[in-house]
Amino acid sequence: MAASASSKLSKAVKQQYMDLPQGDQVQAMYIWIDGTGEGLRCKTRTLDSEPKTIEDLPEWNFDGSSTYQSEGSNSDMYLIPQAMFRDPFRKDPNKLVLCEVLKYNHKPAETNLRQMCKKIMGMVQNQHPWFGMEQEYTLLGTDGHPFGWPSNGFPGPQGPYYCGVGADKAYGRDVVEAHYRACLYAGVKICGTNAEVMPAQWEFQVGPCEGIEMGDHLWIARFLLHRVCEDFGIVASFDPKPIPGNWNGAGCHTNFSTKEMREEGGLKYIEESIERLAKRHQYHIRAYDPKGGLDNARRLTGHHETSNINEFSAGVANRGASIRIPRSVGQEKKGYFEDRRPSANCDPYAVTEALVRTCLLSEEGEEPVKY
């Protein structure tokens, strides 16, 4: 299996330097979403003391012409710190800093979907929208071949791999365990993990998170996964259909509820939301992957536990529906529902914003309302 050359460098030699004291100074790694809407970038600066709040972090800038975000003749972009986490690689007191990207005129960059999402969440904060997102991903060698698969063929058909245990069923658990602990250390609200249906495919879950926090925590969890995989010399792919044919794709199922849905009689509000979603299917499909639905078209075929991209459906405990109401929610008449349409490479800000616009702000039509 193809692993990166840098992963073969001596970790023992590196550790000699990582063990050196750093005095009162702190390394802050600034992280942002690049112009693809999927890729993450990062760079580090030294601070004279440990930041306690976001306000303690200075704004910064970068060359947007090298991240698909501007042209060379006017390339400076601004990094505006928005959320801070502990750094599990450099350890305390060092920080990871999730940033918004602003253009030269201080307007949001095209792939900065956080600013509008935060505005929409602010309009419904009294309803306490909670989200939980189930992030599926596939481990690949640096040659793009799934981790642990035979070099010139395929593993046995799907069946034994989902939540499997054993060397012939679980491919790459070391990565999963390292990522889980890194998330816990960082302060990411990771709530679980499991092996998925396709071999070398895994899932982690983040939530419940309220409002804008969902997008912040999922993006940092993704960053941590990429960074852990870098140490192991392999690649984490969020492609919604990494292997064509009779193999499961990768989604980012999104669980959603409000205070009313979680209280007695909440099923009524869940059903009302599903009715609104049924009338706005195409708007959501466009919001649920970074290519306006083209990525999801490869995954949402109506097979392999997916709904058909062209049809809206809902059902209790139905994994082939657009919207699934968990059986326990149907019995207790309160709780949450699961939107199974978002792709693995979706922007969580876009997904959570779309759900709030349709379900709570009662928007209709193919375009988002301007507020």
Side-chain angles (χ1 to χ4, degrees):
M1 192 219 61
S4 70
S6 58
S7 69
K8 299 180 178 74
L9 294 171
S10 170
K11 304 305 179 192
V13 172
K14 176 190 171 189
Q15 197 56 43
Q16 292 182 74
Y17 300 100
M18 299 306 290
D19 289 340
L20 293 172
Q22 60 186 76
D24 294 329
Q25 293 184 307
V26 170
Q27 291 171 286
M29 179 174 275
Y30 282 45
I31 300 162
W32 70 98
I33 301 159
D34 71 15
T36 66
E38 301 178 61
L40 287 161
R41 307 291 179 117
C42 59
K43 63 176 187 167
T44 302
R45 67 183 297 164
T46 304
L47 305 177
D48 291 331
S49 60
E50 182 179 357
K52 302 298 184 187
T53 66
I54 283 293
E55 288 70 32
D56 296 336
L57 293 160
E59 294 182 9
W60 207 8
N61 56 64
F62 68 95
D63 167 21
S65 68
S66 299
T67 61
Y68 315 115
Q69 286 172 298
S70 69
E71 55 188 47
S73 60
N74 189 10
S75 69
D76 274 9
M77 311 282 285
Y78 297 101
L79 291 172
I80 314 298
Q82 298 294 343
M84 183 167 63
F85 297 82
R86 297 167 73 198
D87 187 336
F89 307 105
R90 295 166 172 157
K91 303 197 177 72
D92 290 337
N94 304 299
K95 304 296 181 189
L96 303 177
V97 182
L98 182 66
C99 300
E100 279 190 26
V101 177
L102 302 184
K103 296 190 283 195
Y104 69 93
N105 56 8
H106 281 270
K107 288 187 162 50
E110 281 71 17
T111 53
N112 174 6
L113 307 186
R114 186 184 189 278
Q115 199 170 90
M116 179 53 71
C117 180
K118 188 177 182 187
K119 180 178 182 179
I120 295 298
M121 294 301 169
M123 295 170 66
V124 298
Q125 61 187 12
N126 62 331
Q127 298 188 55
H128 300 286
W130 286 7
F131 303 93
M133 298 185 82
E134 306 170 21
Q135 177 68 69
E136 294 178 339
Y137 62 95
T138 310
L139 296 177
L140 308 173
T142 52
D143 56 359
H145 194 69
F147 178 80
W149 285 33
S151 58
N152 56 355
F154 296 93
Q158 296 180 159
Y161 308 107
Y162 173 72
C163 296
V165 61
D168 57 342
K169 300 178 185 69
Y171 299 4
R173 194 186 297 275
D174 283 354
V175 172
V176 177
E177 294 295 336
H179 173 250
Y180 203 146
R181 194 62 61 91
C183 284
L184 291 173
Y185 183 94
V188 169
K189 291 187 174 179
I190 187 169
C191 59
T193 186
N194 58 270
E196 263 305 328
V197 177
M198 186 178 86
Q201 194 177 72
W202 295 82
E203 173 181 300
F204 65 86
Q205 303 94 29
V206 175
C209 295
E210 186 165 325
I212 195 68
E213 188 181 59
M214 183 67 248
D216 293 349
H217 281 243
L218 191 68
W219 274 116
I220 289 295
R222 287 174 173 176
F223 173 83
L224 292 173
L225 181 61
H226 286 309
R227 184 60 189 74
V228 165
C229 283
E230 186 183 318
D231 282 348
F232 284 104
I234 61 175
V235 176
S237 170
F238 297 113
D239 189 291
K241 189 74 174 179
I243 308 298
N246 200 24
W247 301 97
N248 272 37
C252 192
H253 304 154
T254 302
N255 301 287
F256 176 57
S257 69
T258 61
K259 189 169 182 288
E260 285 180 324
M261 293 178 194
R262 296 187 291 270
E263 292 174 345
E264 291 302 319
L267 186 61
K268 175 169 95 77
Y269 300 103
I270 291 172
E271 289 170 342
E272 286 174 1
S273 288
I274 292 173
E275 283 178 28
R276 293 189 185 109
L277 289 167
K279 296 172 185 165
R280 217 176 186 213
H281 179 60
Q282 288 307 321
Y283 164 75
H284 282 264
I285 289 296
R286 287 202 310 278
Y288 283 3
D289 79 50
K291 297 186 179 68
L294 291 177
D295 274 344
N296 244 339
R298 293 185 285 124
R299 167 182 158 256
L300 295 178
T301 59
H303 305 291
H304 307 109
E305 300 182 51
T306 68
S307 57
N308 187 300
I309 193 168
N310 298 312
E311 299 165 7
F312 181 87
S313 56
V316 174
N318 182 359
R319 284 182 157 71
S322 310
I323 305 292
R324 180 181 72 95
I325 298 176
R327 191 171 300 286
S328 61
V329 173
Q331 290 167 345
E332 295 171 19
K333 303 286 191 283
K334 64 178 180 180
Y336 67 96
F337 66 84
E338 176 192 45
D339 193 331
R340 296 178 60 81
R341 296 171 293 175
S343 68
N345 62 342
C346 69
D347 188 320
Y349 298 128
V351 173
T352 56
E353 178 189 319
L355 282 166
V356 166
R357 283 178 176 273
T358 301
C359 299
L360 305 188
L361 297 177
S362 302
E363 288 186 17
E364 297 177 350
E366 293 300 304
E367 297 300 325
V369 174
K370 288 186 168 64
Y371 295 101

